[in-house]
């Protein structure tokens, strides 16, 4: 696992073994960032269920002005800390050590908004729909926020969650990337 683009390109990231963490494969990450790169420069990026920090660090490396990583697993948090040091990531990355939904409530109270939200909960917890439903009326989303969900190909997502509509899907092996937004963003 490594950073594949931007200022930290080539940096090898730490991972750990365990059923709770399933790092995003490089080919999935490369497909993701090929699609969102035009919208990433200066973006505020939320990596919800950050795991190793792989996706949030990639967003930071490629030009996001702020990346917030939410994680509560102590082993994952240590891995994120190690990876932040390896990448020499500075103040543009914030780690929130909290349950995902408590962190969301905290961000809402702080009136933080994001240009992109990446959702990748452990597949076995089946939280994908719950996460999307919790975002429907959340003030962390702007009219133009792009919400990306990484999920197993057998996970069923709806085409609409309130104003958020499915705009694009990509299948890479058993993994799907589903892109939602209130307004069409892709050309």
């Amino acid at each position: 696992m490594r950073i594949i683009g931007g200022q930290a390109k080539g940096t090898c990231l730490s991972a750990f073994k365990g059923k709770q963490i399933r790092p995003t494969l490089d080919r999935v990450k490369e497909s993701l960032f090929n699609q969102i790169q035009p919208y990433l420069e200066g973006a505020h990026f939320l990596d919800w269920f950050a795991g190793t920090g792989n996706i949030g660090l990639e967003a930071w490396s490629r030009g996001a002005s702020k990346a917030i990583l939410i994680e509560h697993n102590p082993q994952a948090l240590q891995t994120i800390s190690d990876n932040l040091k390896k990448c020499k990531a500075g103040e543009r990355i914030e780690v929130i050590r909290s349950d995902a939904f408590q962190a969301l409530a905290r961000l809402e109270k702080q009136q933080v908004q994001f240009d992109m939200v990446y959702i990748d909960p452990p597949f076995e917890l089946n939280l994908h729909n719950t996460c999307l439903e919790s975002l429907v009326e959340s003030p962390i989303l702007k009219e133009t926020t792009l919400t990306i969900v990484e999920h197993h190909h057998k996970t069923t997502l709806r085409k609409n969650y309130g104003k958020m509509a499915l705009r694009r899907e990509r299948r890479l092996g058993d993994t799907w990337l589903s892109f939602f937004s209130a307004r069409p963003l892709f050309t």
Side-chain angles (χ1 to χ4, degrees):
M1 187 170 56
R2 61 189 170 81
I3 299 294
I4 56 177
Q7 67 185 27
K9 181 178 181 175
T11 303
C12 290
L13 300 176
S14 298
F16 68 89
K17 296 183 183 195
K19 291 184 179 182
Q20 295 114 345
I21 299 294
R22 176 199 33 77
T24 299
L25 300 173
D26 280 353
R27 68 187 174 116
V28 174
K29 184 168 65 167
E30 186 169 4
S31 177
L32 166 67
F33 283 94
N34 284 342
Q35 294 173 74
I36 66 172
Q37 187 64 54
Y39 313 100
L40 198 54
E41 188 66 38
H44 285 203
F45 190 95
L46 176 62
D47 186 354
W48 205 10
F49 302 92
T52 62
N54 181 21
I55 298 297
L57 282 164
E58 188 76 35
W60 161 81
S61 179
R62 290 174 177 245
S65 65
K66 181 78 172 178
I68 294 182
L69 288 61
I70 298 173
E71 184 54 62
H72 77 283
N73 178 301
Q75 193 175 4
L77 287 164
Q78 182 58 53
T79 302
I80 289 170
S81 178
D82 293 345
N83 288 334
L84 290 171
K85 290 174 190 164
K86 285 181 177 188
C87 291
K88 299 181 175 92
E91 299 167 0
R92 291 181 13 223
I93 294 190
E94 177 184 345
V95 179
I96 298 177
R97 293 156 172 81
S98 174
D99 167 81
F101 295 98
Q102 290 173 353
L104 180 63
R106 176 178 151 190
L107 292 168
E108 289 173 344
K109 283 183 185 178
Q110 294 173 349
Q111 299 179 345
V112 177
Q113 288 193 311
F114 295 93
D115 300 295
M116 293 185 195
V117 176
Y118 189 77
I119 303 170
D120 183 18
F123 285 1
E124 69 274 3
L125 295 181
N126 200 23
L127 291 173
H128 301 85
N129 283 297
T130 303
C131 291
L132 287 164
E133 289 164 358
S134 68
L135 288 176
V136 169
E137 298 298 326
S138 177
I140 72 162
L141 299 184
K142 302 175 185 179
E143 187 71 21
T144 57
T145 299
L146 179 59
T147 301
I148 306 122
V149 183
E150 181 179 333
H151 57 96
H152 190 269
H153 71 95
K154 292 183 180 178
T155 301
T156 303
L157 300 179
R158 298 192 312 256
K159 301 289 183 204
N160 292 287
Y161 294 85
K163 292 187 259 182
M164 289 191 305
L166 180 64
R167 303 296 179 180
R168 180 179 283 178
E169 293 179 299
R170 290 289 183 259
R171 182 174 180 177
L172 300 129
D174 287 343
T175 301
W176 279 83
L177 294 172
S178 296
F179 298 80
F180 292 87
S181 65
R183 294 191 332 204
L185 296 175
F186 298 107
T187 55

